[in-house]
Amino acid sequence: MADAENGSPAPKPGEAPKPKSETSEPAAPKNRGNRALVGVLVIVGAVALALVASRYFGEAGKIGQSIVKTTKSTGAASIGGPFTLTDHNGKRVSDKDFAGKYLLVYFGYTYCPDVCPTGLTVISDALDQLGADAAKVQPLFITIDPHRDTPEQMKEYATYFHPSLIGLTGSDSEIAQVAKAYRIYYAKVENKDPDSDPEDYTVDHSAVTYLMGPKGGFLQHFSHSTDPETMARRIREAIKS
Ligand code: NI
């Protein structure tokens, strides 16, 4: 903008331009006629500025409100989404295969030293406490380490925790896509010992359990510290509501 180039910053909308200095102010009018004309021009200018400002801020206000509304209405829907992966029997499955069931979705990996075993034990205990309602719930364990977590590896691990737990793996890009949809963070951590086996690494990852509705929508999440009793109670309440 020309104003910025000549060293005088452009005034913000609704803010009167500041005079550069005392000397740049208009010279005093020489007679009453000029004085009156300047007065009229000042009033006309002020009204025009007020109209522009009210229009500008009115529009900005509306845009702000629409952003808030959009965020509120899509906040819940933005967790989860369609996926196609390979189950622990080597079969290709998609989210549609689980339609009509509540999903308990947990991301992790079979070589996880302690976080995943704890999380999956809580899920398993909660399922046992649900009794007959457990039939309406499909627990899914999605690996974020597909390189080591083959379907065979996933089957042995998942069924160890609970007979209904299904392990899901896939290509790097399939896993990246589903993890992103569920807002799961994961990052490989190499073993710092130079003599170690390159396959001996860990993976940092979010430890959160999602409860998804029978139509695929996000219902709620459970943090790593949730106990099985609380998880079972909240799942039962979700099924009944
Ligand atoms: Ni883990």
Side-chain angles (χ1 to χ4, degrees):
M1 269 172 83
D3 279 348
E5 279 163 13
N6 68 19
S8 166
K12 286 173 189 159
E15 186 182 85
K18 285 171 192 156
K20 278 181 197 169
S21 67
E22 292 297 318
T23 54
S24 71
E25 279 182 357
K30 282 172 185 166
N31 58 46
R32 281 181 168 267
N34 278 353
R35 194 180 287 255
L37 184 63
V38 167
V40 168
L41 287 174
V42 164
I43 290 164
V44 169
V47 168
L49 200 68
L51 282 172
V52 168
S54 72
R55 194 182 172 91
Y56 178 86
F57 288 110
E59 284 301 310
K62 278 180 203 162
I63 291 165
Q65 282 168 13
S66 80
I67 289 168
V68 169
K69 276 181 190 168
T70 308
T71 309
K72 273 184 184 169
S73 63
T74 59
S78 60
I79 292 177
F83 61 79
T84 302
L85 296 165
T86 302
D87 77 6
H88 67 212
N89 291 313
K91 186 185 157 206
R92 294 291 282 169
V93 292
S94 81
D95 53 297
K96 292 186 179 71
D97 292 302
F98 305 111
K101 284 212 171 189
Y102 289 84
L103 296 183
L104 267 182
V105 185
Y106 188 85
F107 288 78
Y109 66 115
T110 67
Y111 290 83
C112 188
D114 53 26
V115 175
C116 289
T118 306
L120 292 173
T121 300
V122 170
I123 289 172
S124 301
D125 291 350
L127 288 167
D128 289 342
Q129 292 182 24
L130 278 175
D133 279 338
K136 296 169 187 165
V137 181
Q138 176 58 62
L140 299 177
F141 176 54
I142 304 177
T143 183
I144 39 76
D145 182 20
H147 173 67
R148 289 183 300 189
D149 284 342
T150 61
E152 299 74 29
Q153 176 79 12
M154 291 296 278
K155 184 172 188 171
E156 189 185 343
Y157 192 77
T159 53
Y160 166 79
F161 284 96
H162 200 274
S164 76
L165 182 63
I166 293 179
L168 298 174
T169 186
S171 68
D172 287 345
S173 65
E174 285 167 350
I175 294 301
Q177 201 182 332
V178 69
K180 189 181 175 190
Y182 280 85
R183 298 186 189 174
I184 293 294
Y185 160 84
Y186 65 103
K188 187 174 172 179
V189 182
E190 305 281 358
N191 192 320
K192 282 175 185 161
D193 179 358
D195 297 328
S196 71
D197 184 334
E199 293 290 285
D200 182 21
Y201 58 86
T202 59
V203 188
D204 280 349
H205 66 92
S206 314
V208 57
T209 304
Y210 292 105
L211 179 63
M212 310 298 286
K215 288 177 183 170
F218 167 80
L219 296 182
Q220 57 180 297
H221 77 276
F222 306 101
S223 71
H224 188 64
S225 60
T226 304
D227 58 71
E229 292 73 25
T230 305
M231 189 180 283
R233 176 175 53 77
R234 283 166 57 183
I235 294 170
R236 198 176 284 121
E237 284 167 1
I239 290 173
K240 281 178 184 157
S241 66

